[in-house]
Amino acid sequence: MKALTLCWMAIGLSVNYGLVQAQGAAFVRSVHGNKTAHIEIIGTLHNGSTELVQVGSGVRVSQPYVLTSSHLFTGTSNYKSVRISVRFGKRTAPPYVGLLDLKDSSNDLALIRVPDAPIEPGCPYFLVTDVKAIPAGSDLFFLGFPIDGPLRISPGILSTDPDPDMPLWQTNAPINPGNSGGPAFTSAGYFVGIAKGVLSEWRVADQVIPLAGVSQFVPAPKIQSSAVGQKVLREQADVRCLRAVAMRDDGSFGLNAANLPTLAAPTEFAVAHTVVVEWKTEKDPLPICRVFPAAFGYTVSRCTFEQIKVEGVEVHCTADDAGEVAIADFKPTVSAGNARLAAGRIVVEQRPR
């Protein structure tokens, strides 16, 4: 238990809000950047010439599909034909041909099918549709390609109380042209919506009042309940990127909850903890282990590591003899100067005592 005590001390000394926020932004950018798509729509006029119709962002939601905003396709009926180019992770990445598969204009959502897209090793990830998991003030990180530039991360907070009946939620994150359709994540990497746009003015009678810091996004509850979301969630598990999750009363997440109920004891369940560890120099302290306690009234039955990106690190996860905690060990296997990174999720399976 001496090593376990050291783990708890290391965690207690390292946690503060600024560090957690910075780590959240870095985690979201490094893990979900390759899932973020640059979308370019080129229209062919009836005289045969072509022109740029719209650019925006999107996010992979299954191996063949990218989720984006339906308003990107407004006006495309004026063209003889349109071509959709989809690039993943970088504005300069090789383009893939996209096909508009489904539009849900009432929720401003659309699905683009990309038949030749490469397999994404980061699938699956988690769609949070329980508003208890994202209270007002929660950190949000938007990924996208604003002003048709490189991939950028835009931090902000959830500005208002989440309401599952509201079609749009507000944030103070800077959202610019080109961000439309880009994903929003929590600091732990949970998917909570896609960017729509910014409110730039407010009209009162004959007055026009300029606004700042009021952006809107389509929240995860609307994505989950929409025709677009339902189509994705019906995909086979080995194809679908999104997993719907429900938040429990103790703050943990139950996986594979079809109708997002609040699950109570004595049901067996699993909790997914986002982790990212990285060594840049030999002087950096080694994060020897991470400790995840069992929920009250439960014991840890199994602990596994869902790998997203691992370079030069061995990861082992075990339960202690009493089943009170899961212990994840991260050990570098290469010397300084080489990439040493482990990003993924520790899944702790638990059963009632």
Side-chain angles (χ1 to χ4, degrees), residues 29 33-34 36-38 87-94 145 149-151:
R29 175 64 176 79
N34 288 336
T36 305
H38 175 276
R87 296 172 170 87
F88 295 105
K90 294 182 179 180
R91 172 67 179 82
T92 56
F145 297 86
L151 179 66

Side-chain angles (χ1 to χ4, degrees), residues 30-311:
S30 63
V31 171
H32 294 305
N34 288 336
K35 298 182 183 71
T36 305
H38 175 276
I39 298 169
E40 186 177 57
I41 303 171
I42 304 293
T44 299
L45 298 167
H46 291 276
N47 63 8
S49 63
T50 60
E51 63 183 21
L52 178 64
V53 179
Q54 190 63 269
V55 292
S57 304
V59 60
R60 297 182 68 144
V61 287
S62 76
Q63 296 298 0
Y65 290 118
V66 168
L67 174 67
T68 188
S69 298
S70 65
H71 72 253
L72 295 181
F73 297 92
T74 301
T76 54
S77 60
N78 298 326
Y79 296 88
K80 181 180 178 180
S81 63
V82 295
R83 183 178 75 251
I84 305 171
S85 294
V86 180
R87 296 172 170 87
F88 295 105
K90 294 182 179 180
R91 172 67 179 82
T92 56
Y96 294 92
V97 175
L99 304 170
L100 181 60
D101 187 272
L102 180 62
K103 281 178 63 176
D104 182 353
S105 298
S106 62
N107 289 301
D108 195 16
L109 299 172
L111 270 184
I112 298 174
R113 183 161 53 90
V114 188
D116 297 326
I119 298 298
E120 170 54 60
C123 277
Y125 52 108
F126 303 106
L127 175 73
V128 177
T129 59
D130 189 336
V131 296
K132 291 184 297 182
I134 38 178
S138 297
D139 287 324
L140 301 177
F141 301 94
F142 288 80
L143 286 171
F145 297 86
I147 58 175
D148 200 20
L151 179 66
R152 295 182 183 178
I153 186 165
S154 300
I157 62 170
L158 180 60
S159 302
T160 56
D161 288 327
D163 184 342
D165 296 324
M166 292 294 291
L168 298 170
W169 291 356
Q170 291 186 0
T171 176
N172 66 341
I175 294 177
N176 294 287
N179 273 120
S180 293
F185 296 95
T186 68
S187 58
Y190 292 97
F191 180 40
V192 293
I194 66 167
K196 178 179 176 65
V198 62
L199 296 179
S200 58
E201 60 183 31
W202 181 39
R203 295 179 180 272
V204 181
D206 58 350
Q207 291 184 314
V208 178
I209 303 171
L211 298 177
V214 183
S215 300
Q216 295 180 317
F217 66 99
V218 181
K222 288 299 178 184
I223 295 174
Q224 191 268 343
S225 63
S226 71
V228 167
Q230 288 299 302
K231 179 170 184 174
V232 172
L233 292 170
R234 284 194 300 267
E235 293 280 350
Q236 295 180 356
D238 59 347
V239 173
R240 182 178 67 242
C241 287
L242 297 183
R243 274 201 236 171
V245 300
M247 191 173 186
R248 305 169 186 278
D249 291 335
D250 65 358
S252 62
F253 290 94
L255 304 185
N256 300 320
N259 298 313
L260 304 177
T262 299
L263 305 176
T267 308
E268 293 185 6
F269 70 98
V271 181
H273 301 274
T274 300
V275 294
V276 56
V277 293
E278 183 176 12
W279 296 264
K280 295 181 179 179
T281 70
E282 291 292 351
K283 295 181 180 179
D284 291 342
L286 297 181
I288 300 173
C289 56
R290 295 286 189 271
V291 179
F292 306 97
F296 179 76
Y298 287 82
T299 58
V300 176
S301 57
R302 187 166 175 257
C303 179
T304 55
F305 177 61
E306 289 189 347
Q307 173 179 322
I308 295 177
K309 186 176 182 180
V310 174
E311 297 178 0

Side-chain angles (χ1 to χ4, degrees), residues 315-328:
V315 184
H316 303 280
C317 191
T318 57
D320 71 337
D321 293 339
E324 295 179 352
V325 297
I327 307 168

Side-chain angles (χ1 to χ4, degrees), residues 11-30:
I11 292 172
L13 289 173
S14 64
V15 173
N16 62 69
Y17 177 75
L19 178 60
V20 169
Q21 188 180 46
Q23 289 178 337
F27 177 81
V28 168
R29 175 64 176 79
S30 63

